Amino acid sequence: MALGESKGAMDMRTAFENNPHRVAELSREFEGLFVDMSKQRWDKEVFDALQDLAQEADLAGAIADLFGGVKLNTTENRAVLHMALRANREDAFSVDSLDVVEDVIDIRDRMLGFVDRVQDMHADGEITDVVNIGIGGSDLGPAMAVKALRRFNQGIRCHFVSNVDGAHVESVLEGLDPQKTMLVIVSKTFTTQETMANARIAKSWLEAGQGDLGKQMVAVSTNLQGTKDFGISEDQTFGFENWVGGRYSMWGPVGLCIAMSIGSQGFRDFLSGARAMDVHFQSESMDNNIPVLLALLGHWNQNACGLRSHVVIPYAEDLSRLPAYLQQADMESNGKFIDREGKPVKWNTGAVVWGEPGTNSQHAFFQLLHQGTEVHPVDVIAFKAPTSGHEGMHKMLLANALAQAEALLMGREAPEGEPQRFFPGNRPSTFFLFDELTPKTLGMLVAMHEHRIFAQGVLWGISSFDQWGVELGKAMANALLPTLSGASVGASHDPSTSELLARITR
Ligand code: F6P
């Protein structure tokens, strides 16, 4: 973008001085969320140019296609309809001209009916803990949401096992009662190496501890043969369709642990927040559409300003897993160098997403954000209402959130002879101010990012819904495993891998 040369390094402080309406012009509000994008390196001219870009890319058409069930996941020939999972009965979503809403609602009712029964079992002291066994999209969303909604927990304790490192399952299971723990095995494919290994270990643990396998094992998958072969009965199995991508799946049965933690009504509220954002994304004009504006800003930062990463700082300890969740949502979706026509793209895609909660991150990497040689745009996420009973601490938290965004913008002159104390400032951030952290606002926040990621993929001309980039490592690990288990070295390896293998097996 040629405009990047003139405006990419614009001084935002001067822009604020010259335009008293800058905050109003570059911020948007939606149902208890205020998104302040005025501390980004853009102005009316850039905003208008980005609107033109959205038009050129036919973003509005792409959004209509998404909601219309068009098979946007072209390499797997699948529609992308996670929005249907949060639909109301009156909404219309179809795949191959078949309405899917009724099925979604049936499955949701069945799942939440099951959750209610598990809540009763908890009340009777039969079940105290639930362990979610899954990885990637079958773990990160539920783990993030359960933690985020800690204050809405109804009593059942939820734990998460994902890594194929046995230390994970071991450390989670120790201390749990095999007769009062429910295992929820979540895998879209029900073949994922990590999940199946952890599930086998947890199942043996249940058996050894005389748990009731029929009652205490639950499966969530699209592979119903796989769940049956594993020994999980149909009435303890919840299916979903392949038009839901793993990293977009926590709104349906993959979210079982979220529902077990916050209860059926809490889960319905979570869906309602996401649905509100769906309606906004689908129907709001491009210049008022929050996910669209965030996507355009992401494009501007990445491709015009050369700012390559995207920092996520939730000023809420309960949102500590949000950066990890967004890493998969964003980088697995948009870390692509091949466009929708199968040709290499001509620009950077997929920002590197990273972050940690504030204020901890301030004492870790904010040094680099303020004084490093590269500029990293920051999302600051804050809540007006405290997320704990400690109101005084919440004021400190908010003061820090505001201060960091202001410091990034304003910088500071250094005292004479002390250049190390100079803060250049003019470092961009977006401030997301929510009224409070509730199931509904969490749903909104996550759906906002899902749509932002999709819109960004459209602007980049890539397909955001496959993930072929994870295949190679998986296949190579499978090929290496026999050698590590003692079989003679079969396939040849590069010299470095051969040396490492030899040292491990020696
Ligand atoms: O790592 C790739 C991936 O396919 C993710 O997209 C997915 O969320 C994860 O593995 C887990 O897959 P599954 O739910 O099939 O076990």
Side-chain angles (χ1 to χ4, degrees):
M1 244 189 169
L3 200 54
E5 277 161 38
S6 57
K7 288 285 169 78
M10 68 179 278
D11 194 318
M12 295 183 281
R13 293 159 294 197
T14 314
F16 274 110
E17 273 167 30
N18 293 342
N19 179 5
H21 308 295
R22 186 172 164 85
V23 178
E25 284 171 7
L26 297 175
S27 60
R28 296 292 181 272
E29 267 182 273
F30 177 71
E31 297 204 9
L33 164 64
F34 177 67
V35 186
D36 179 0
M37 296 166 280
S38 64
K39 293 198 203 74
Q40 291 281 351
R41 292 180 184 173
W42 64 344
D43 59 10
K44 181 83 173 65
E45 189 187 4
V46 175
F47 187 97
D48 289 346
L50 290 171
Q51 289 291 313
D52 292 347
L53 188 81
Q55 209 165 356
E56 264 167 51
D58 190 18
L59 187 48
I63 295 171
D65 285 349
L66 176 75
F67 283 85
V70 172
K71 295 192 173 161
L72 293 179
N73 181 350
T74 46
T75 62
E76 295 175 313
N77 194 31
R78 290 175 184 165
V80 180
L81 274 184
H82 44 278
M83 301 82 67
L85 296 179
R86 46 231 191 188
N88 284 347
R89 205 171 282 282
E90 70 267 20
D91 296 337
F93 287 100
S94 55
V95 177
D96 292 330
S97 311
L98 290 175
D99 179 44
V100 298
V101 174
E102 211 170 300
D103 274 0
V104 164
I105 290 185
D106 284 352
I107 294 172
R108 185 191 302 159
D109 288 346
R110 195 180 140 236
M111 162 188 163
L112 295 181
F114 178 76
V115 166
D116 292 342
R117 287 198 298 285
V118 178
Q119 299 280 1
D120 292 343
M121 288 157 81
H122 174 259
D124 294 344
E126 281 177 61
I127 292 292
T128 54
D129 297 82
V130 174
V131 180
N132 185 98
I133 301 175
I135 197 165
S138 300
D139 165 74
L140 286 163
M144 178 276 291
V146 165
K147 178 127 209 284
L149 301 174
R150 170 188 65 89
R151 289 177 311 130
F152 299 85
N153 176 265
Q154 303 286 307
I156 293 177
R157 291 183 295 249
C158 295
H159 312 264
F160 293 85
V161 170
S162 52
N163 202 337
V164 80
D165 181 347
H168 201 179
V169 66
E170 188 175 284
S171 62
V172 168
L173 294 184
E174 68 192 9
L176 296 184
D177 181 343
Q179 293 176 10
K180 293 187 176 180
T181 299
M182 186 166 270
L183 305 178
V184 180
I185 303 160
V186 187
S187 174
K188 184 174 172 183
T189 54
F190 227 72
T191 57
T192 303
Q193 185 194 52
E194 293 93 331
T195 302
M196 298 325 295
N198 280 316
R200 283 190 294 272
I201 287 173
K203 184 180 175 186
S204 307
W205 170 81
L206 216 62
E207 274 170 323
Q210 278 145 27
D212 179 341
L213 261 57
K215 190 179 88 179
Q216 290 170 241
M217 282 204 315
V218 180
V220 177
S221 185
T222 57
N223 174 4
L224 301 184
Q225 188 58 48
T227 57
K228 194 168 162 211
D229 294 346
F230 194 79
I232 302 181
S233 67
E234 240 176 74
D235 55 328
Q236 298 272 112
T237 300
F238 298 89
F240 62 105
E241 302 293 334
N242 70 12
W243 39 260
V244 180
R247 55 192 175 277
Y248 297 90
S249 61
M250 71 168 145
W251 315 100
V254 172
L256 197 61
C257 279
I258 308 173
M260 287 197 192
S261 176
I262 63 174
S264 309
Q265 189 50 50
F267 192 74
R268 289 187 194 278
D269 293 345
F270 177 56
L271 299 187
S272 77
R275 182 182 175 277
M277 188 54 77
D278 293 342
V279 173
H280 170 86
F281 182 57
Q282 189 181 12
S283 54
E284 193 53 84
S285 60
M286 294 285 116
D287 56 347
N288 279 318
N289 192 312
I290 293 170
V292 167
L293 294 178
L294 295 173
L296 290 169
L297 253 182
H299 181 74
W300 171 251
N301 279 336
Q302 173 84 246
N303 303 101
C305 307
L307 311 180
R308 306 284 303 282
S309 85
H310 180 162
V311 190
V312 180
I313 310 290
Y315 277 82
E317 187 59 30
D318 289 338
L319 276 178
S320 62
R321 295 297 287 157
L322 183 70
Y325 167 79
L326 285 177
Q327 280 175 334
Q328 187 201 13
D330 199 330
M331 293 159 87
E332 196 167 88
S333 298
N334 286 342
K336 314 270 167 75
F337 76 105
I338 295 296
D339 71 14
R340 284 197 296 271
E341 272 72 53
K343 302 206 177 66
V345 292
K346 297 189 186 68
W347 39 72
N348 282 329
T349 65
V352 176
V353 179
W354 55 295
E356 274 286 318
T359 59
N360 286 6
S361 49
Q362 293 173 199
H363 297 271
F365 55 76
F366 267 60
Q367 164 68 39
L368 177 140
L369 295 183
H370 288 293
Q371 290 189 318
T373 48
E374 276 189 55
V375 173
H376 303 276
V378 179
D379 278 1
V380 177
I381 303 165
F383 298 87
K384 280 199 246 174
T387 52
S388 76
H390 304 284
E391 284 203 26
M393 292 181 85
H394 191 65
K395 292 201 172 70
M396 291 184 214
L397 190 66
L398 286 179
N400 275 280
L402 292 167
Q404 291 298 334
E406 190 170 21
L408 285 165
L409 170 73
M410 298 307 292
R412 193 181 66 189
E413 291 305 325
E416 187 67 29
E418 294 185 76
Q420 69 280 3
R421 295 182 64 191
F422 174 59
F423 285 72
N426 202 33
R427 299 194 165 203
S429 66
T430 299
F431 205 108
F432 296 83
L433 181 63
F434 286 88
D435 285 348
E436 51 182 337
L437 178 54
T438 62
K440 183 170 180 206
T441 56
L442 182 70
M444 272 168 52
L445 170 68
V446 175
M448 175 187 81
H449 279 292
E450 287 180 344
H451 294 319
R452 190 257 308 157
I453 290 163
F454 165 68
Q456 224 154 352
V458 172
L459 296 171
W460 281 326
I462 56 177
S463 167
S464 300
F465 297 108
D466 57 23
Q467 59 281 317
W468 296 105
V470 301
E471 293 297 308
L472 179 61
K474 283 188 200 174
M476 288 172 112
N478 283 334
L480 277 161
L481 187 56
T483 312
L484 285 174
S485 308
S488 62
V489 181
S492 66
H493 299 283
D494 68 86
S496 163
T497 306
S498 299
E499 174 63 22
L500 291 166
L501 252 182
R503 283 174 178 265
I504 293 169
T505 51
R506 200 176 280 159

